[in-house]
Amino acid sequence: LFRSVADGESRRSDEVTVVDLQTQLSQKTALLNEATLKEQEFKEQIHTLADQLKNYERNVFVTPLGTPYREGNHCHTDVSVFGEPTEFEYLRKVLFEYMMGRETKTMAKVITTVLRFPSDQTQKILEREDTRPLFTPPRSGIF
């Protein structure tokens, strides 16, 4: 009789242990599911931040003095604006002619086209070219 009572208590403690273990398992599974969901949210946040960083980098470029410059209306901020080296060489020659004062209005049109200036800036540049004198008198002195 004592043995059957002891066996009954042993079974109940085994059952309680199984129930406890099943409860713990379901709790741990729920925690694991929450952690997995959080991990997915963090991965999505990382991708979003990486995209934002790429967009920021596209809108920032370096000035000749090495300081960052940011402008919202900038059409092309990538250093590789030119598809081929020949485009860069062409622009260099056009800029040289412009700086030498040769056909400045025509060169200004070419420059604004090659660099894809917005229409409002192109208009201001061409208006400025219209107001420049065609011939500049020779300067005297050193400067």
Side-chain angles (χ1 to χ4, degrees):
L1 181 70
F2 180 72
R3 187 170 238 224
S4 70
V5 171
D7 286 340
E9 285 181 19
S10 175
R11 282 187 192 156
R12 275 187 251 152
S13 69
D14 286 345
E15 288 174 11
V16 170
T17 304
V18 169
V19 170
D20 287 342
L21 291 175
Q22 287 176 338
T23 303
Q24 288 179 9
L25 178 62
S26 66
Q27 290 171 347
K28 301 295 183 195
T29 302
L31 288 173
L32 180 61
N33 290 339
E34 287 177 27
T36 304
L37 185 62
K38 270 287 194 210
E39 179 188 24
Q40 186 62 34
E41 289 174 7
F42 286 138
K43 285 181 179 179
E44 289 174 12
Q45 189 176 19
I46 288 170
H47 289 297
T48 301
L49 291 171
D51 290 343
Q52 288 175 352
L53 181 60
K54 285 178 187 174
N55 288 335
Y56 175 78
E57 288 171 349
R58 285 185 191 128
N59 291 327
V60 173
F61 60 98
V62 178
T63 66
L65 298 176
T67 56
Y69 177 77
R70 184 177 165 91
E71 179 178 332
N73 291 338
H74 192 65
C75 294
H76 289 275
T77 56
D78 189 3
V79 176
S80 61
V81 168
F82 308 104
E84 299 178 20
T86 54
E87 290 181 45
F88 178 76
E89 185 65 23
Y90 175 68
L91 179 61
R92 188 183 65 75
K93 289 178 180 179
V94 169
L95 282 170
F96 178 78
E97 293 298 320
Y98 179 80
M99 294 172 118
M100 293 290 103
R102 298 184 190 117
E103 300 182 47
T104 56
K105 179 145 185 178
T106 303
M107 295 300 130
K109 287 179 185 178
V110 172
I111 293 167
T112 58
T113 301
V114 171
L115 293 178
R116 298 175 183 97
F117 275 69
S119 60
D120 61 325
Q121 290 180 347
T122 300
Q123 183 180 356
K124 287 178 185 177
I125 291 168
L126 296 179
E127 287 172 1
R128 170 76 182 204
E129 285 301 321
D130 286 336
T131 62
R132 286 185 188 217
L134 294 177
F135 299 103
T136 56
R139 296 181 183 182
S140 61
I142 298 174
F143 297 104

